[in-house]
């Protein structure tokens, strides 16, 4: 049976450490850390994600300065809000919740966030810092994957790692982080030929293709470590009772590979909770930096 890479458990441990850091440093800082989640419009899934992030903030003592703008907001109005959060001394982290309404252009808006307040680690400047191995806020999902691998002492140095997916949000920074950990990394994408041959080479496989249940036993070699980043809501059966909750699945057919692989992250409860935990880490680390305080979280800052 594969080792379960339990993100829920690790995220809870990280939250405890963050809570302790917030308690320890609040007096010297003179204020709690602050995170501003900026939401535009009424995408229902975003509403749930934002509520979860704000709940996590309150658990560990981060103040939330969320702003919710109407779907009809112009690019200038969103930009103005970002600029005022950049200038707000109480705010250490800013997160622009995606997706935005279709008439808005996310690139210039993310670029307008102060890179040192970039809680999601998606600013061009911070992706450059990652590329060059300089410290800075890291993209939360791949940083969460790295924390999960390290927590279970799964070796990366010299290992063959394959990342399926090359998005700026997940695949690209994931590949850079694995490479920084001295893995030999291959990145596969939708134009990759003979994907199965490529993924069978993997000792560590990270799947972030956004394709429900696409990876199965035919893609894997025995003993591989598999991290499933994908998350999808399965459609409810037509006879589902009212109020029934949709089941979630990942990019991996977990039940098919459990006996084959050495470690596997579950969906839900794997990478998802780690993404939120790393958002909190980025915020607390930025707060400590602004006040010249030691955060004691070096092992989480990849
Ligand atoms: P994107 O759609 O932006 O990127 C998907 C990537 O996968 C692209 O690079 C694409 O290739 C590649 N791809 C698509 N189909 C195939 C295929 N058949 N074979 C090989 N590669 C393929 O998605 P994201 O990176 O934003 O997210 C990926 C998944 O991770 C989604 O399910 C998303 O919901 C989930 N996610 C989960 C998070 C969490 O916290 N658990 C956080 C963020 C994302 P190409 O570049 O050629 O188009």
């Amino acid at each position: 049976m594969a080792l379960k890479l339990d993100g829920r458990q690790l995220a809870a441990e990280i939250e405890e450490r963050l809570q302790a850091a917030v308690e320890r440093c609040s007096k010297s800082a003179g204020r709690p850390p602050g995170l501003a989640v900026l939401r535009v419009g009424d995408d229902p899934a975003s509403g749930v994600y934002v509520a979860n992030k704000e709940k996590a903030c309150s658990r560990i003592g981060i103040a939330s300065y969320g702003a919710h703008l109407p779907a009809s907001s112009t690019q200038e109005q969103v930009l103005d809000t970002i600029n005022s959060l950049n200038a707000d001394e109480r705010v250490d982290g800013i997160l622009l919740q995606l997706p935005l309404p279709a008439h808005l252009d996310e690139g210039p808006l993310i670029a307008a966030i102060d890179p040192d307040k970039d809680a999601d680690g998606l600013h061009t400047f911070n992706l450059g810092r990652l590329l060059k191995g300089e410290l800075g806020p890291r993209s939360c999902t791949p940083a969460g994957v790295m924390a999960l691998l390290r927590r279970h002492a799964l070796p990366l140095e010299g290992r063959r790692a394959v990342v399926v997916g090359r998005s700026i949000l997940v695949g690209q920074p994931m590949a850079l982080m694995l490479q920084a950990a001295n893995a030999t990394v291959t990145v596969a994408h939708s134009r990759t030929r003979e994907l199965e041959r490529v993924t069978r080479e993997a000792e560590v496989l990270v799947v972030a293709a956004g394709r429900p249940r696409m990876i199965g036993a035919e893609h894997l070699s025995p003993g591989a470590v598999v991290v499933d980043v994908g998350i999808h809501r399965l459609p409810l059966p037509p006879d589902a009772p009212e109020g029934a909750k949709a089941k979630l699945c990942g990019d991996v057919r977990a039940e098919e590979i459990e006996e084959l692989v050495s470690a596997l992250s579950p969906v839900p409860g794997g990478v998802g909770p780690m993404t939120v935990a790393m958002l909190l880490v980025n915020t607390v680390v930025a707060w400590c930096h602004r006040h010249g305080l030691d955060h004691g979280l070096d092992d989480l800052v990849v």
Side-chain angles (χ1 to χ4, degrees):
M1 192 70 177
L3 169 70
K4 177 179 170 190
L5 303 178
D6 189 339
R8 216 168 262 152
Q9 164 75 28
L10 179 55
E13 288 171 25
I14 291 174
E15 280 195 18
E16 266 182 35
R17 289 178 61 192
L18 291 171
Q19 197 178 15
V22 171
E23 264 177 40
R24 192 178 66 246
C25 299
S26 276
K27 204 160 169 227
S28 313
R31 64 168 179 85
L35 176 68
V37 180
L38 175 53
R39 183 175 169 213
V40 189
D42 295 303
D43 177 68
S46 292
V48 176
Y49 294 144
V50 170
N52 284 343
K53 287 167 188 172
E54 290 181 345
K55 266 190 235 153
C57 282
S58 79
R59 283 199 296 272
I60 68 161
I62 295 178
S64 292
Y65 300 105
H68 188 179
L69 302 180
S72 58
S73 304
T74 63
Q75 186 89 1
E76 286 65 36
Q77 284 166 331
V78 183
L79 205 54
D80 284 348
T81 307
I82 290 173
N83 285 331
S84 67
L85 293 170
N86 281 342
D88 190 332
E89 286 299 323
R90 302 166 306 167
V91 172
D92 303 288
I94 302 170
L95 181 159
L96 180 62
Q97 184 67 43
L98 302 176
L100 295 173
H103 66 282
L104 297 174
D105 185 359
E106 71 183 45
L109 296 173
I110 293 174
I113 295 173
D114 175 345
D116 289 327
K117 291 190 176 188
D118 171 28
D120 249 349
L122 293 179
H123 193 287
T124 306
F125 191 79
N126 289 321
L127 293 169
R129 282 169 158 169
L130 170 62
L131 182 67
K132 293 185 79 179
E134 294 171 5
L135 283 179
R138 295 293 194 239
S139 318
C140 298
T141 301
V145 172
M146 294 302 287
L148 209 46
L149 294 171
R150 256 200 318 273
R151 170 71 168 75
H152 292 88
L154 295 165
L156 293 171
E157 180 152 334
R159 297 298 198 275
R160 285 198 154 272
V162 176
V163 180
V164 184
R166 57 176 169 179
S167 72
I168 292 295
L169 184 65
V170 187
Q172 301 276 12
M174 186 75 254
L176 289 171
M177 287 179 199
L178 289 166
Q179 197 170 279
N182 294 319
T184 302
V185 183
T186 301
V187 177
H189 46 77
S190 68
R191 315 286 170 89
T192 298
R193 280 185 286 128
E194 299 183 88
L195 181 68
E196 291 167 23
R197 260 180 68 179
V198 175
T199 53
R200 273 201 301 263
E201 292 271 301
E203 294 171 287
V204 177
L205 178 67
V206 181
V207 190
R211 298 276 177 267
R213 296 171 54 76
M214 75 171 264
I215 296 288
E218 71 279 17
H219 293 91
L220 290 158
S221 289
V225 170
V226 179
V227 180
D228 189 356
V229 179
I231 186 150
H232 312 275
R233 228 166 271 279
L234 292 168
L236 283 169
D239 58 347
E242 206 179 318
K245 272 194 167 178
K247 282 198 169 162
L248 300 178
C249 77
D251 286 358
V252 171
R253 299 193 290 277
E255 74 290 348
E256 186 181 308
I257 65 162
E258 257 163 2
E259 300 297 328
L260 179 66
V261 300
S262 62
L264 174 64
S265 68
V267 177
V271 177
M274 292 306 299
T275 299
V276 179
M278 299 318 286
L279 171 72
L280 306 175
V281 168
N282 278 344
T283 306
V284 171
V285 167
W287 172 67
C288 287
H289 280 162
R290 281 162 70 91
H291 295 281
L293 300 167
D294 180 14
H295 48 70
L297 302 165
D298 286 330
D299 56 310
L300 296 171
V301 181
V302 283

